[in-house]
């Protein structure tokens, strides 16, 4: 199977990165794609949001990065059909120090995804920590493209320029094929003039790289992780869930156009 590896990254916290990862993954799985989420954030919010209890995380992305276990051994099925996860644990906090002297330290995730076990999945989504550290670089080196969640707030573009600079450096040195999959605008409040201005500015600067779908601020989306469920399963009809379904449709349309080009 020809899979597509998408890294979901933004060094700024609280922009809806993990929410985007788990709901986009769920939406893709719901339409029949076989999806794997790799949780590379030591906080493990993607794992919690997909209902994987901490006591169930016998092996994790830490074991993947330290070569202590294979991808096949680590993957855990979720309650969502067609959706599996490589969960995260707090052990990841020390992994940078452990592998920093290894010559292949930025290639660990890439190597794990060049296996038959990884090729079973049509989409692999990697959820990154809110920083540009070795974990995020591993995710960028492994990926075909990067999806950037961007909060509709005043300093949104400022943080984005630093991220795009890092993407450019990774492309030059480690992964020439790395592409920007798209920018998804999150936490949008239509009643807020500033949010509307941010949307206009981002679209002006980045054009068709910005998805048409706007992810609204939504209480039901915020509640869902505490129940260990993606918003799409917790409340399919809420505005946030419907937006993530639209986003999944846009992602697939972009993939089809890319493959046809």
């Amino acid at each position: 199977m020809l899979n597509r590896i998408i890294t979901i990254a933004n060094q700024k916290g609280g922009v809806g990165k993990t929410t985007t990862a788990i709901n986009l993954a769920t939406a893709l799985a719901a339409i029949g794609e076989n999806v794997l989420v790799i949780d590379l954030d030591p906080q493990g919010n993607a794992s919690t949001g997909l209902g994987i209890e901490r006591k169930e995380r016998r092996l994790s992305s830490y074991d993947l990065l330290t070569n202590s276990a294979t991808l096949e051994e680590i993957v855990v099925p979720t309650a969502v059909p067609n959706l599996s996860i490589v969960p995260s644990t707090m052990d990841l906090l020390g992994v940078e120090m452990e592998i920093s002297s290894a010559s292949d330290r930025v290639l660990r995730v890439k190597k794990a995804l060049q296996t038959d076990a990884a090729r079973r999945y049509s989409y692999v989504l990697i959820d990154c920590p809110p920083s540009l550290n070795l974990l995020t670089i591993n995710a960028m080196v492994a990926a075909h493209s990067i999806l950037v969640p961007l909060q509709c707030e005043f300093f949104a573009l400022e943080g984005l320029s630093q991220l795009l600079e890092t993407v450019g450096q990774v492309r030059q040195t480690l992964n020439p094929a790395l592409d920007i999959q798209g920018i998804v605008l999150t936490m949008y409040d239509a009643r807020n003039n500033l949010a509307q201005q941010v949307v206009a500015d981002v679209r002006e600067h980045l054009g068709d790289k910005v998805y048409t779908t706007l992810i609204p601020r939504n209480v039901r989306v915020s509640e869902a992780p505490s129940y260990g469920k993606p918003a799409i399963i917790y409340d399919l009809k809420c505005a946030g869930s419907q937006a993530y379904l639209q986003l999944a449709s846009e992602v697939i349309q972009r993939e089809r156009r890319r493959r046809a080009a």
Side-chain angles (χ1 to χ4, degrees):
M1 182 186 287
L2 182 66
N3 67 3
R4 187 73 173 157
I5 302 164
I6 301 173
T7 284
I8 300 175
N10 190 330
Q11 76 275 20
K12 196 171 184 306
V15 298
K17 190 163 36 59
T18 297
T19 303
T20 297
I22 63 180
N23 285 292
L24 178 56
T26 302
L28 290 168
I31 56 173
E33 300 288 352
N34 200 17
V35 185
L36 175 67
V37 170
I38 297 181
D39 189 350
L40 276 192
D41 188 343
Q43 295 174 83
N45 291 338
S47 308
T48 304
L50 286 170
I52 309 300
E53 300 276 343
R54 291 198 181 271
K55 61 179 182 289
E56 294 172 42
R57 302 176 204 176
R58 192 177 58 82
L59 295 170
S60 71
S61 49
Y62 168 83
D63 298 286
L64 197 71
L65 284 152
T66 55
N67 293 334
S68 309
T70 65
L71 182 74
E72 197 161 21
E73 290 167 333
I74 301 166
V75 166
V76 178
T78 71
V80 180
N82 304 323
L83 177 56
S84 299
I85 187 167
V86 169
S88 163
T89 58
M90 295 296 278
D91 292 342
L92 267 185
L93 286 169
V95 80
E96 198 156 344
M97 203 173 290
E98 283 188 52
I99 68 171
S100 61
S101 59
S103 59
D104 67 343
R105 61 188 175 277
V106 297
L107 302 171
R108 297 289 174 96
V109 175
K110 180 176 184 173
K111 287 178 176 177
L113 292 176
Q114 289 175 330
T115 57
D116 289 341
R119 292 186 190 102
R120 287 189 210 134
Y121 302 99
S122 47
Y123 283 90
V124 178
L125 303 185
I126 308 176
D127 186 35
C128 294
S131 57
L132 295 175
N133 60 12
L134 185 57
L135 295 170
T136 304
I137 301 298
N138 253 278
M140 288 185 183
V141 172
H144 296 111
S145 63
I146 291 195
L147 188 151
V148 185
L150 201 65
Q151 190 177 350
C152 294
E153 59 157 37
F154 186 63
F155 291 114
L157 278 169
E158 221 170 78
L160 181 64
S161 60
Q162 189 186 350
L163 178 69
L164 296 180
E165 202 175 294
T166 305
V167 171
Q169 288 167 356
V170 170
R171 194 185 280 142
Q172 280 178 0
T173 56
L174 297 159
N175 184 359
L178 186 63
D179 185 28
I180 301 291
Q181 170 84 23
I183 314 290
V184 56
L185 291 159
T186 62
M187 302 182 189
Y188 177 69
D189 183 349
R191 300 163 301 179
N192 185 327
N193 288 337
L194 175 61
Q196 292 178 30
Q197 187 60 52
V198 169
V199 171
D201 286 351
V202 174
R203 291 200 194 286
E204 186 186 333
H205 281 84
L206 296 159
D208 60 5
K209 284 290 182 195
V210 186
Y211 288 102
T212 305
T213 303
L214 296 170
I215 309 297
R217 280 193 181 277
N218 188 257
V219 173
R220 303 294 277 172
V221 169
S222 304
E223 287 173 354
S226 63
Y227 292 88
K229 292 179 179 178
I232 287 170
I233 288 175
Y234 178 63
D235 184 352
L236 176 62
K237 292 184 176 166
C238 76
S241 294
Q242 291 299 307
Y244 277 114
L245 288 169
Q246 285 174 12
L247 178 64
S249 173
E250 271 199 85
V251 167
I252 286 170
Q253 284 167 12
R254 286 192 182 200
E255 282 305 307
R256 284 182 184 147
R257 285 200 297 271
R258 185 191 60 77
R259 284 171 188 167

